[in-house]
Amino acid sequence: MTTQTKQRRKQALLHRTGSYGKGLLFMLPWLIGFCAFVVIPIGWSIFMSFNKVKIVPGGFKYEWLGLQNFRDAFLKDNNFPVDLITYFQEMLLMVPIIVIFALMISLMLNQRFPGRFIYRALFFLPVIFATGQVLSELFVQGAGEVPFIQQYNLETIVDQYVGPELAKTVMNVLEKVILILWYSGVQILIFIAGFQTISPTIYEAVRIDGASPWDSFWKITLPASIPFISLNVLYTIIDLFTFPQNPILKYIKENMIKVDTGYGYASAMAWIYFGFIFILIAVVLWLFERTMRTRRGRS
Amino acid sequence: MLLSRLRRITFFDFALVLGFTALAAFMSLPIIFILNHAFKPTNELFLFPPRFFVQNPTFSNFEQLFLHATNATVPFSRYVFNSVVVVTMTLVSVIVVSTMAAYVLAKYRFHFKQIILSMITLSLMFAPETVGIPRYLIISGIHLNNTYLGHVLPALASPIAVFMLVGFISQIPNELLEAAKIDGASHVGIFARIVLPLSVPAIATISIFTFQGVWGDVETSTLFMQDETMRTLAFYVNSLLSGLQNSVAAQNVAAAAGLLMFIPNLIIFLLFQRKVLETMIHSGIK
């Protein structure tokens, strides 16, 4: 009896390690690639950010600097902190605009009207093209700009109404109107998918109780789509900050090949940049968590 | 019949469609621009203020592009051939490797699974441009410079592909896999006969994303390929573009090359778009 159970247990263990092993075997090709081209390079760049990397014949020479690179980025560099702050200001304005725009468009696309499938596809289309080559080509040729900004001399108007401190940021956002439209494809889709999870019987019930469509939007649609709003905010942040055309990444790339700063310094800047993004994401997550909890507490 | 249907369209519907048509037209402006730009003769390219639509369309830009390339040391067709080879190899291997990884991540328990999942999410946030040099060191360390593998391998471990596929595959009901197991299917059998066919929509999506990425990628050509004959079309077009942002000489060549880079994206998208919309709605959220 006891030997039998022992044997059975042993077999179960063997079976489990076997299936675990098979699972890992399926993972293996991907895992090797992921380690070699994602994990190790990222780890290496952490190491490099603490060093002065010099290019000598036949390879690299590392000189341990500790936190010196990080200190230099804030104290010695004239461009980096300024660029970083302006870019973050701009993004803090862009993210809500993109998400709200996507919310409005998806609300309308969620209505029943003839040919809505075609319109959904149309709004998703730019996402496909908004990658790499095509986009940079468009920007080189100036198709990303909106001509009416110069035509109507909007700059002075903005200057008057918003004040000179914020005017530059607002202008930058205005110049990117097309980009905002282009960047909302995925967000619109996520919202539309989210609206499908709200059951239509609720809308019917409140309509019978005498709520207008306006009320039912504020009382039902919006609260139910809070998780999707948070998902979209996160998606937009990540999308915008890893956008290869952005000035910070460009500046970091420039510094990689400069002789006096080099790769170590560039990595340090990259890590500062990612640190800021992580903080931003953490704040957003915390805020949404809190609103969700108070909602749940109330209901 | 038609009349009654027409009557049912309210004023609100009409306004909605009108508004959306306007917005959609506004959004497709850059695409129309790039299409027209490629066919403009030189005198129209420099018109001020610039015009959207081409007046006298010509093919001379494309002729010049091919001539320009034949004068260079490496013929144009070589770049095209390289691009096609690299894209096909990458697509096939990314699909196989990522689906395999996503399948076990979604359906099996094994060691380090949680760590792997959280690493995937973290690495989504990381811009690959910033790790170019370590990647170069690894590539040259395993002697992959100037080979096709050097193009393919860095794109192989794509976190985005696995991220999307995990969301999709975990929705395949477990009962289906169990039934197959009882009927005597092996792990490989389950994967090839059930998981692969069922996740075709998701695979269509990641193939579009991968295609976009690889087709437009210049990083592997710039960093890992020192031999000009191993570089891709994207690199060639980029080198054409980068030198002449302010110059007059080859603007027409650049316009034609821009369209040439853009057309395959459009074709792939049109082929797969319905599937993409399906996956975007399924993955990641529910």
Side-chain angles (χ1 to χ4, degrees):
Chain A
M1 183 74 183
T2 43
T3 49
Q4 219 173 4
T5 44
K6 226 182 228 170
Q7 215 163 18
R8 202 176 287 157
R9 211 174 276 163
K10 205 172 165 187
Q11 247 170 5
L13 194 76
L14 246 165
H15 178 74
R16 236 185 38 209
T17 43
S19 76
Y20 274 29
K22 265 180 200 144
L24 273 177
L25 212 63
F26 266 87
M27 277 302 294
L28 205 63
W30 186 85
L31 210 56
I32 291 172
F34 187 69
C35 282
F37 293 103
V38 181
V39 176
I40 295 177
I42 288 176
W44 206 325
S45 88
I46 296 179
F47 170 71
M48 279 173 156
S49 69
F50 292 113
N51 284 286
K52 178 148 188 75
V53 182
K54 277 184 189 158
I55 302 172
V56 290
F60 290 96
K61 217 179 86 189
Y62 301 104
E63 213 174 276
W64 184 258
L65 283 179
L67 286 174
Q68 188 63 38
N69 277 332
F70 291 88
R71 230 173 285 146
D72 282 356
F74 284 112
L75 299 179
K76 264 197 197 158
D77 200 314
N78 288 327
N79 296 323
F80 181 65
V82 181
D83 276 0
L84 193 71
I85 290 166
T86 22
Y87 190 66
F88 265 80
Q89 270 180 349
E90 220 175 277
M91 288 306 113
L92 285 181
L93 212 60
M94 285 270 276
V95 170
I97 291 175
I98 290 179
V99 173
I100 290 168
F101 174 78
L103 181 66
M104 290 192 319
I105 293 289
S106 55
L107 269 174
M108 286 192 269
L109 280 175
N110 204 33
Q111 308 294 321
R112 284 191 180 283
F113 64 90
R116 62 175 174 165
F117 191 80
I118 301 167
Y119 287 101
R120 284 185 189 178
L122 255 174
F123 277 93
F124 189 64
L125 190 83
V127 182
I128 300 301
F129 302 125
T131 40
Q133 203 57 40
V134 177
L135 199 70
S136 63
E137 160 74 358
L138 283 173
F139 272 88
V140 167
Q141 299 190 353
E145 287 155 21
V146 194
F148 67 78
I149 289 178
Q150 273 115 42
Q151 263 172 30
Y152 298 106
N153 207 4
L154 270 180
E155 199 159 357
T156 43
I157 302 172
V158 171
D159 226 23
Q160 262 177 5
Y161 283 98
V162 195
E165 299 86 20
L166 278 173
K168 201 174 164 238
T169 321
V170 173
M171 280 311 290
N172 277 337
V173 172
L174 268 182
E175 272 165 18
K176 289 189 184 115
V177 171
I178 290 190
L179 204 68
I180 292 176
L181 287 174
W182 276 44
Y183 262 81
S184 46
V186 175
Q187 285 86 335
I188 290 172
L189 241 103
I190 293 175
F191 273 132
I192 289 179
F195 293 150
Q196 309 313 315
T197 60
I198 308 169
S199 99
T201 48
I202 301 179
Y203 288 108
E204 229 164 84
V206 292
R207 217 184 45 228
I208 290 165
D209 286 346
S212 64
W214 178 251
D215 287 328
S216 73
F217 168 72
W218 287 105
K219 294 274 157 65
I220 292 162
T221 314
L222 198 64
S225 47
I226 280 179
F228 304 102
I229 294 175
S230 86
L231 187 75
N232 270 332
V233 170
L234 289 183
Y235 182 85
T236 317
I237 289 173
I238 291 172
D239 206 31
L240 284 174
F241 280 103
T242 53
F243 177 54
Q245 236 70 35
N246 90 40
I248 310 286
L249 285 181
K250 248 188 204 160
Y251 185 67
I252 291 173
K253 262 162 112 181
E254 270 169 34
N255 266 290
M256 269 182 200
I257 37 175
K258 265 192 203 161
V259 181
D260 53 332
T261 49
Y263 198 76
Y265 182 61
S267 316
M269 285 199 293
W271 278 99
I272 293 170
Y273 181 58
F274 291 124
F276 271 97
I277 300 172
F278 278 126
I279 293 171
L280 192 64
I281 287 174
V283 169
V284 169
L285 275 180
W286 178 75
L287 275 177
F288 276 106
E289 198 105 307
R290 232 184 49 163
T291 44
M292 290 299 277
R293 214 179 299 140
T294 49
R295 289 218 143 265
R296 238 175 267 140
R298 235 189 283 155
S299 62
Chain B
M1 180 68 190
L2 192 75
L3 211 71
S4 70
R5 265 183 81 180
L6 269 179
R7 208 168 287 154
R8 247 190 291 144
I9 297 172
T10 57
F11 174 74
F12 182 66
D13 281 348
F14 182 68
L16 212 59
V17 170
L18 206 69
F20 273 126
T21 315
L23 255 179
F26 186 63
M27 283 172 83
S28 51
L29 278 186
I31 297 169
I32 297 168
F33 179 78
I34 207 170
L35 262 172
N36 276 292
H37 210 65
F39 291 104
K40 282 178 187 167
T42 321
N43 60 335
E44 273 184 53
L45 281 174
F46 294 102
L47 267 186
F48 190 86
R51 290 220 185 107
F52 245 101
F53 293 104
V54 51
Q55 241 84 50
N56 309 302
T58 66
F59 276 98
S60 74
N61 293 343
F62 292 94
E63 271 166 38
Q64 289 210 4
L65 173 66
F66 291 115
L67 282 180
H68 186 96
T70 41
N71 286 340
T73 43
V74 182
F76 186 74
S77 51
R78 175 78 199 194
Y79 291 112
V80 177
F81 174 76
N82 282 348
S83 270
V84 171
V85 169
V86 168
V87 166
T88 336
M89 276 169 73
T90 318
L91 262 186
V92 172
S93 46
V94 163
I95 288 171
V96 172
V97 168
S98 322
T99 333
M100 267 162 61
Y103 162 56
V104 284
L105 278 176
K107 290 293 176 197
Y108 283 88
R109 296 191 313 154
F110 54 89
H111 307 285
F112 313 119
K113 186 173 144 181
Q114 279 314 314
I115 299 176
I116 292 172
L117 279 175
S118 54
M119 273 198 323
I120 289 171
T121 330
L122 270 183
S123 61
L124 282 179
M125 297 173 201
F126 212 87
E129 283 84 9
T130 51
V131 290
I133 290 182
R135 274 186 170 186
Y136 167 77
L137 291 176
I138 289 170
I139 287 279
S140 66
I142 43 181
H143 302 292
L144 285 180
N145 294 82
N146 299 323
T147 59
Y148 285 117
L149 275 180
H151 281 295
V152 175
L153 287 184
L156 195 62
S158 143
I160 299 176
V162 174
F163 185 73
M164 290 186 69
L165 279 168
V166 167
F168 195 86
I169 290 178
S170 59
Q171 287 184 346
I172 296 174
N174 280 329
E175 290 79 14
L176 210 61
L177 304 185
E178 268 159 36
K181 209 181 279 174
I182 290 166
D183 285 348
S186 62
H187 278 280
V188 182
I190 293 175
F191 173 71
R193 295 262 183 82
I194 294 171
V195 176
L196 263 184
L198 278 179
S199 45
V200 163
I203 290 174
T205 315
I206 63 159
S207 9
I208 289 184
F209 280 112
T210 318
F211 180 85
Q212 307 281 334
V214 179
W215 180 253
D217 185 35
V218 286
E219 200 197 280
T220 53
S221 294
T222 336
L223 291 177
F224 312 142
M225 304 297 139
Q226 283 76 42
D227 195 346
E228 193 64 36
T229 54
M230 288 304 294
R231 289 176 164 166
T232 58
L233 186 65
F235 176 82
Y236 176 68
V237 170
N238 205 47
S239 66
L240 273 184
L241 293 181
S242 60
L244 42 84
Q245 282 185 19
N246 301 311
S247 82
V248 180
Q251 278 296 349
N252 46 358
V253 176
L259 184 67
L260 215 65
M261 287 301 294
F262 173 77
I263 291 293
N265 283 342
L266 187 68
I267 294 170
I268 292 279
F269 174 70
L270 290 179
L271 281 178
F272 289 124
Q273 53 108 356
R274 200 167 261 260
K275 302 272 183 204
V276 175
L277 294 173
E278 274 167 32
T279 354
M280 292 308 272
I281 289 174
H282 280 300
S283 74
I285 313 155
K286 276 185 192 165

